[in-house]
Amino acid sequence: MDLGIAGKLALVTGASQGIGRAVAITLAQEGARVVVVARSHEKLQELVQQIELDGGEAHAVAVDLTQAVELERLVAEVQKLGTVELFLGNTGGPRPGAARDLKVQDFRTAAESLWYPMVALVNALLPGMQARQFGRILFITSLAVKEPIENLALSNALRAGLTGYAKTLAREVASLGITVNTLGPGYTRTERVEEVFAFRAQNQGIDLEAAYAQQAAQIPAGRMALLQEIADVAVFLLSARASYLTGQAIMVDGGAIRGLL
Ligand code: NAD
């Protein structure tokens, strides 16, 4: 299937590792020109080199998404490259913790990473998408949107909020050829998850693979997701072919969520 994104400009945030990185590589393999964003210039340069070696086109912009001034610089850099038609909004997860222990400042800090940059970037990108009468916006959230996870109160709350924003926006821009969706990954073996499981294994006095096996036993698929399995769905949702799919919260979770919808 031709995804219809060759030559289109894509913006991928949180691209230095994990899911964002995998989506950037896959978009480039499908012929999109990719702008990759994260804080680490070195990691982004390494990614750009890998994409170029693979025959693709990529540009790195190192910014801290929580800083409004840096976001403005990002938008200015991206505008020099053309009109962004595909936007993957992704960043790191907020700190763990119980709801009853949260302070208002914890919400502010988490929103500065998970919400505000997404809204700022959408506001900057929408006029270009509208002029093209084509756009794809996809936010990476979590399966916590459908089934809140114990001790991840900030993630549960803020990702649900982002999903509500996406759904509202989706209906506002649907007639302009712009789709807005969210993708909730299930447990996926990324660098970040590796750290979490290493910590869990150490606490329980078991080895890393045993910690993964414990998690896998909770998932109907019997295993955690491969990065490529998340990236493939994301790239389809960002593609021209996903033209009638909007306002949806798609879970890629190996069947983990028990809920009907
Ligand atoms: P990750 O932590 O490995 O990657 C996050 C990316 O965002 C990195 O490139 C990081 O540098 C970048 N980033 C973080 N803060 C930034 C900032 N202020 N400015 C610029 N860049 C910033 O995460 P991941 O495992 O790839 O997951 C991606 C998202 O999906 C996260 O929000 C995560 O919580 C969520 N998620 C992941 C899983 C999983 O199993 N991996 C499951 C559910 C949800």
Side-chain angles (χ1 to χ4, degrees):
M1 174 162 62
D2 177 2
L3 294 180
I5 55 174
K8 291 191 182 296
L9 188 62
L11 175 65
V12 178
T13 63
S16 65
Q17 62 178 38
I19 291 169
R21 186 175 191 278
V23 173
I25 291 171
T26 310
L27 281 170
Q29 286 168 349
E30 294 298 324
R33 303 157 56 221
V34 188
V35 183
V36 289
V37 177
R39 286 161 300 188
S40 163
H41 184 69
E42 291 71 30
K43 282 188 177 182
L44 291 176
Q45 280 308 330
E46 183 268 326
L47 173 59
V48 167
Q49 273 173 17
Q50 183 180 330
I51 289 174
E52 286 175 351
L53 275 175
D54 214 14
E57 180 181 333
H59 306 267
V61 187
V63 298
D64 183 341
L65 292 168
T66 64
Q67 304 301 310
V69 179
E70 296 193 30
L71 274 180
E72 280 172 28
R73 180 167 61 81
L74 168 63
V75 170
E77 293 285 325
V78 168
Q79 275 167 354
K80 287 183 207 158
L81 295 164
T83 300
V84 170
E85 292 180 89
L86 322 175
F87 171 41
L88 183 84
N90 170 56
T91 185
R95 73 165 186 78
R100 62 187 172 192
D101 295 333
L102 288 181
K103 307 281 181 288
V104 170
Q105 187 54 42
D106 296 324
F107 266 90
R108 284 204 188 100
T109 304
E112 274 167 14
S113 170
L114 275 179
W115 277 357
Y116 303 160
M118 301 306 147
V119 175
L121 288 172
V122 164
N123 289 346
L125 300 177
L126 268 182
M129 291 180 178
Q130 182 168 350
R132 290 276 166 99
Q133 291 284 294
F134 180 91
R136 297 284 178 267
I137 297 171
L138 179 66
F139 299 117
I140 299 295
T141 59
S142 165
L143 76 176
V145 163
K146 299 226 172 175
E147 252 178 31
I149 301 169
E150 286 74 21
N151 215 39
L152 287 182
L154 279 173
S155 177
N156 296 339
L158 286 154
R159 295 187 199 278
L162 187 63
T163 306
Y165 165 73
K167 179 76 177 176
T168 314
L169 180 65
R171 290 173 56 85
E172 291 171 14
V173 299
S175 65
L176 306 172
I178 302 170
T179 69
V180 188
N181 293 291
T182 62
L183 186 161
Y187 291 96
T188 311
R189 286 187 74 153
T190 64
E191 294 91 328
R192 173 79 190 113
V193 163
E194 198 114 326
E195 282 170 24
V196 172
F197 276 75
F199 183 71
R200 198 185 279 187
Q202 198 183 7
N203 271 352
Q204 294 181 15
I206 57 176
D207 70 26
L208 185 61
E209 287 311 314
Y212 279 128
Q214 271 182 1
Q215 189 65 57
Q218 315 283 322
I219 303 168
R223 60 180 179 81
M224 290 170 65
L226 304 173
L227 265 177
Q228 195 62 51
E229 289 174 313
I230 305 296
D232 286 347
V233 178
V235 170
F236 173 70
L237 292 170
L238 287 166
S239 79
R241 301 302 287 266
S243 46
Y244 204 62
L245 202 172
T246 195
Q248 303 303 312
I250 307 284
M251 301 295 121
V252 187
D253 68 352
I257 289 171
R258 287 175 173 273
L260 180 61
L261 296 171

